[in-house]
Amino acid sequence: MSLHYASNDWYPVADAACLARGPRKTRLLGTDLEVLGPFDHPVVTDMGGRCFPVQVRYNHLWTTIGDDPRPLFDIPEADEPGRRHVPCGVVRVKCSPLRAVENFLDIAHFPFVHTGILGAEPHTEVAAYKAEIREDVDEVWATNISFYQPQAAKSAAGGITTRYEYRVPAPTAAVLYKTCPPRPEAMDVIAIFVQPRSETDCDVWPWMALYDDTTNFADLAQFQQEIFLQDRSILENQRPVKLPLDPKLEIPTRADMTSIAYRRWLKRRGAYYGALTDQT
Amino acid sequence: MSHFTLYTYVLSASCYKVRLMAALLGVPYDSVAVNFYPGFEHRSEAMLALNPWGTLPILRAGDLVLTETQAMLGWLATNHDPTGRWYPAADPALGPQVLQWLGLAARLTGSAGLARLHAILDWPVDGEAVRKAALKDLQELELLLTDRVLAGQTWLVGDHPTIADIACFPHAALSPDAGLEHDGFPAIRNWLYAVRSLPGFVTMPGIHELHELREREPADPQ
Ligand SMILES: N[C@@H](CCC(=O)N[C@@H](CS)C(=O)NCC(=O)O)C(=O)O
Ligand SMILES: [Fe+2]
């Protein structure tokens, strides 16, 4: 049931850098897959030789194993001129794909987990903000967030109060918009695209679209990788491993309003792959 | 004033080894971020010209280029530790013991280090084989450390931390990244704690500050 719902979304299974090194053997929703390059003419098959549809978007190769796939979500900012696209590779995490997304949406952990970069004590207060399910687009949004950050981006010269917006366009993807230090009127875009290998194991592909023409690629990618690896050990130790959708199972705090909206949204659309529910 | 240039990658435990030693000795240096992953830049022509073995880190100081982390720690201690305690090379009892431990440090790089790269970056190695080898090396470390504890000692050699401790620390500390938890290794746990308490200690992703550790690990492990 939950697998059927999940199988009709698109998921990233490779980027150009990994296909340049050879075919990628991987797993999606419990199905073993092989991804063959080149990146602009890729082939995705299962072990029985069945081919799956592919599309290249946001510097990643996407596939779906469902019979009736929903369209891949749009990130309009990806096509804006002047943005630098930074695919950060893949990080494997033994956690529910939904937990990986939920952690990405949470600001409250910044001062404790990303100390000196995305947050710092005593600036731990998360001011009231707005979290909602936008019915017209059927997405979760959190807006009007601001937070003090010692090193908001590689391009930041020092501490600034950063504005944030979050957007969940699909159960296993999240996009954030944050103040761009060299262009305070513009927003940088950072996303995670989660490839669920199983309900408790995923490959996470961070991706950025930034206004930053000066920092070299290695520094940009490593800034993001460092932050993501700080989360990894915490993600692997969360219990229960699957994300509880029943509000009685975990008591969220005020800073978790986005998480409440996300869980509610997953529940009402039946996106139970990686979730702990009455049905599972 | 910068004393050397380190070609480094933020998630590399081997690079961290050198950053940690430099921090503990208070040696300033310049960093060059290499796109080890996803770019595999350490295998680019320019990097291979500097290090034909295609590994990171690389330490450059004037004409000197080092590609072995154990050698980098030795170089740092020899040149920047006036007390001579971090690498007592000339001491007939302690010097050889330090070198003996550096052997285990090198084995840990090939076992625990690869097991971790496999677990987090899907590194193309036999994951099961390197995890098994890592477990064996951690068991060896636990046994040897237990002997040290029974001898009333905290550090691997003598009564002061040495480059041997720093050489073994990163891969041992980061083994949970590969699913090799420290629960069954009480001597390793205590020793990791001691290294983390050193003045000037710096972290890397996966290794928490001591105050975070205190919050996360209750005094009573039950
Ligand atoms: N020679 C180094 C090797 C350190 C090492 O294995 N570094 C890894 C990164 S953590 C590496 O460069 N691997 C390259 C590769 O396997 O392609 C040492 O002294 O330990
Ligand atoms: Fe985080």
Side-chain angles (χ1 to χ4, degrees), chain A residues 82-274:
Chain A
R83 284 189 189 267
R84 251 173 97 193
H85 293 185
V86 185
C88 300
V90 64
V91 177
R92 177 157 308 165
V93 191
K94 270 204 185 86
C95 73
S96 152
L98 307 179
R99 288 245 187 227
V101 169
E102 188 194 49
N103 174 74
F104 188 78
L105 302 173
D106 169 46
I107 314 128
H109 76 282
F110 286 180
F112 311 105
V113 178
H114 309 297
T115 317
I117 308 175
L118 299 185
E121 292 175 89
H123 309 277
T124 58
E125 178 79 4
V126 181
Y129 62 92
K130 186 171 177 195
E132 60 182 330
I133 297 174
R134 289 196 181 162
E135 302 292 346
D136 53 337
V137 285
D138 195 16
E139 293 181 352
V140 178
W141 278 79
T143 51
N144 200 20
I145 304 167
S146 54
F147 201 71
Y148 174 80
Q149 301 197 311
Q151 178 79 49
K154 202 68 202 175
S155 57
I160 55 168
T161 296
T162 314
R163 283 179 302 122
Y164 269 89
E165 289 190 3
Y166 287 92
R167 169 185 172 214
V168 182
T172 59
V175 183
L176 71 77
Y177 303 89
K178 69 185 286 185
T179 311
C180 167
R183 279 174 72 166
E185 75 292 350
M187 303 284 260
D188 279 337
V189 177
I190 304 176
I192 56 165
F193 307 136
V194 182
Q195 173 192 345
R197 293 169 50 84
S198 72
E199 288 195 89
T200 54
D201 172 20
C202 48
D203 277 352
V204 180
W205 304 83
W207 176 83
M208 305 191 285
L210 312 174
Y211 291 112
D212 180 343
D213 295 325
T214 48
T215 312
N216 71 43
F217 185 93
D219 279 308
L220 290 175
Q222 289 186 36
F223 184 79
Q224 190 54 32
Q225 289 175 4
E226 172 170 23
I227 289 166
F228 195 72
L229 260 284
Q230 290 172 333
D231 290 313
R232 185 177 179 273
S233 60
I234 289 158
L235 280 170
E236 294 206 333
N237 286 302
Q238 282 178 337
R239 296 293 179 273
V241 175
K242 291 188 192 173
L243 183 70
L245 294 191
D246 183 342
K248 275 172 294 191
L249 293 175
E250 261 178 8
I251 302 145
T253 62
R254 184 162 60 105
D256 282 320
M257 285 186 306
T258 320
S259 160
I260 297 172
Y262 175 57
R263 294 181 190 203
R264 192 173 294 155
W265 178 77
L266 290 172
K267 191 166 182 177
R268 74 174 206 189
R269 57 167 49 208
Y272 294 153
Y273 194 81

Side-chain angles (χ1 to χ4, degrees), chain B residues 12-14 36 42-43 54-56 67-70 109 117 123:
Chain B
S12 157
S14 298
F36 177 87
H42 57 298
R43 296 292 166 88
T55 56
L56 289 180
T67 62
E68 291 299 324
T69 50
Q70 275 65 252
T109 306
L117 287 183
W123 217 244

Side-chain angles (χ1 to χ4, degrees), chain B residues 29-188:
Chain B
Y29 60 94
D30 294 319
S31 293
V32 176
V34 179
N35 183 3
F36 177 87
Y37 183 81
F40 269 59
E41 193 189 348
H42 57 298
R43 296 292 166 88
S44 69
E45 243 170 77
M47 292 307 297
L48 287 174
L50 200 56
N51 175 13
W53 293 275
T55 56
L56 289 180
I58 304 167
L59 180 154
R60 176 143 78 170
D63 291 338
L64 176 75
V65 175
L66 295 176
T67 62
E68 291 299 324
T69 50
Q70 275 65 252
M72 297 175 204
L73 301 194
W75 179 83
L76 276 167
T78 308
N79 290 284
H80 298 286
D81 170 28
T83 72
R85 298 177 75 178
W86 283 93
Y87 182 28
D91 185 302
L94 303 184
Q97 286 175 38
V98 169
L99 297 180
Q100 176 73 15
W101 280 103
L102 297 186
L104 177 58
R107 288 199 297 285
L108 279 166
T109 306
S111 61
L114 282 180
R116 175 172 170 272
L117 287 183
H118 178 74
I120 65 180
L121 301 180
D122 203 7
W123 217 244
V125 292
D126 180 344
E128 217 22 66
V130 287
R131 253 178 58 92
K132 251 190 179 157
L135 192 59
K136 203 166 142 269
D137 289 338
L138 288 173
Q139 283 162 347
E140 180 187 343
L141 178 62
E142 174 70 17
L143 271 176
L144 292 168
L145 270 168
T146 305
D147 287 343
R148 296 293 295 156
V149 172
L150 293 176
Q153 296 294 343
T154 303
W155 309 106
L156 300 186
V157 177
D159 56 7
H160 186 272
T162 63
I163 59 171
D165 294 284
I166 306 310
C168 293
F169 175 79
H171 294 298
L174 290 166
S175 71
D177 277 353
L180 298 160
E181 300 294 336
H182 296 142
D183 305 14
F185 300 121
I188 292 181

